[in-house]
Amino acid sequence: MTNIAFIGLGIMGSPMAVHLANAGHSVAGYNRTPDKAQPLVEAGGRAADSIADAVQGADVVCVMVPDSPDVETVLAGQGGVFGSAAPGALVIDFSSIRPDVTAALAEQAAAKGFRLLDAPVSGGEAGARNAALSIMVGGSADDFEAAREVFDVVGKTVVHVGPSGAGQTVKAANQLIVAANIQALAEAVVFLEAYGVDTKAALEVLGGGLAGSAVLNQKKENMLTRSFQPGFRIELHHKDLGIVTAAAREAGVVAPLGALVAQLMASARANGDGGLDHSGLLRGVERLSGRTSENGEN
């Protein structure tokens, strides 16, 4: 059994913390909205009333918060992990943030006697609930091996991809690929519907060929039913594509499709769809096409 602090109990963090508690670890969770800790408490974990409370006695500190400034506050802010946890603790940041911020935080962590891994995840809410996340990990090989008992509980595909910041770089690439696939699927659905095709049957046969993908399998039902309950919100994917475009420019890499899909994601957010699942990009295609969903929206 390991003493684990889990900071951030949202759509992704809550089921991950629950899995760790169910695996027999002692888990103390903290979230700014206290009632988000209830599933962890029901699984035998403890609801902490602050970050400092959560990390007391923790061997491992897990973080799952939305953006770079949030991670900086949780780790290096007043009452944060670096000032409250015992030196030597292994810090695993599951958040998706800028690679340069991760690299800077890793230096701060080392100077204060902590070990930091950047371990962003892919798989959305379904992957978190089913403990089937893909986890791309940056940091030292020794720290990666030390974190295995945590990763194996919450993830299915876990790969050490390089030094600090490498995990975030790979996650940025992941978000580019996913966004492009969702946009292509959305355009295909609107195209098929315009011709009166049995769209469900069409997607079934497309899924069995070269056009098949995890995005098609996981997001087709959302699009067919126009049900966009968030598994991964548009506003978060908008943030991630900002990371992609900025990092590409910094590296001198041209990513024209990335720039386009970033603008389409920004448009969806500007039109009030930021709280929807990213499969809600379909609504943007409908707006551009002058079409109306069956539910009368757009």
Side-chain angles (χ1 to χ4, degrees):
M1 181 179 71
T2 300
N3 291 323
I4 298 173
F6 208 109
I7 314 300
L9 302 172
I11 289 175
M12 302 290 288
S14 177
M16 293 169 71
V18 167
H19 286 313
L20 290 167
N22 286 336
H25 298 295
S26 176
V27 183
Y30 172 74
N31 199 79
R32 288 179 299 181
T33 308
D35 61 1
K36 295 288 183 70
Q38 189 57 35
L40 174 60
V41 172
E42 293 173 356
R46 180 176 71 86
D49 57 19
S50 66
I51 294 172
D53 178 28
V55 302
Q56 290 301 311
D59 306 301
V60 176
V61 178
C62 300
V63 180
M64 176 58 99
V65 293
D67 204 350
S68 301
D70 303 301
V71 176
E72 289 176 312
T73 297
V74 167
L75 295 185
Q78 184 175 5
V81 173
F82 292 163
S84 305
L90 176 61
V91 181
I92 305 172
D93 180 21
F94 288 113
S95 316
S96 295
I97 66 172
R98 288 165 35 196
D100 60 324
V101 171
T102 284
L105 287 170
E107 289 183 6
Q108 291 182 48
K112 293 179 178 294
F114 296 100
R115 299 168 291 157
L116 177 64
L117 293 171
D118 51 299
V121 304
S122 179
E125 181 181 13
R129 292 196 176 280
N130 295 325
L133 294 167
S134 290
I135 309 176
M136 43 225 84
V137 186
S140 81
D142 288 344
D143 292 343
F144 173 73
E145 289 303 323
R148 268 288 187 182
E149 63 176 345
V150 173
F151 292 145
D152 289 345
V153 170
V154 299
K156 184 177 181 181
T157 303
V158 184
V159 180
H160 181 228
V161 295
S164 292
Q168 300 297 351
T169 303
V170 175
K171 178 59 187 288
N174 178 87
Q175 295 304 79
L176 168 58
I177 294 168
V178 170
N181 272 267
I182 291 175
Q183 179 65 25
L185 176 60
E187 293 179 16
V189 167
V190 174
F191 171 74
L192 291 166
E193 290 178 344
Y195 277 92
V197 173
D198 182 338
T199 312
K200 184 174 182 178
L203 294 181
E204 180 180 353
V205 70
L206 290 173
L210 192 58
S213 67
V215 164
L216 193 156
N217 291 339
Q218 292 184 29
K219 300 300 180 180
K220 64 182 178 182
E221 199 61 32
N222 297 45
M223 295 190 183
L224 290 171
T225 62
R226 269 48 174 195
S227 175
F228 304 120
Q229 184 71 22
F232 189 78
R233 297 190 302 275
I234 280 173
E235 60 190 5
L236 290 177
H237 212 141
H238 167 71
K239 176 264 297 183
D240 289 345
L241 290 174
I243 293 172
V244 172
T245 53
R249 180 176 180 178
E250 189 173 310
V253 172
V254 177
L257 182 55
L260 175 58
V261 77
Q263 291 299 308
L264 292 168
M265 198 74 73
S267 174
R269 181 173 177 265
N271 277 278
D273 290 346
L276 301 181
D277 185 77
H278 49 183
S279 55
L281 283 179
L282 176 73
R283 289 164 52 84
V285 179
E286 290 178 323
R287 281 189 290 264
L288 289 169
S289 302
R291 305 184 70 84
T292 303
S293 299
E294 292 180 6
N295 60 13
E297 296 179 347
N298 284 345

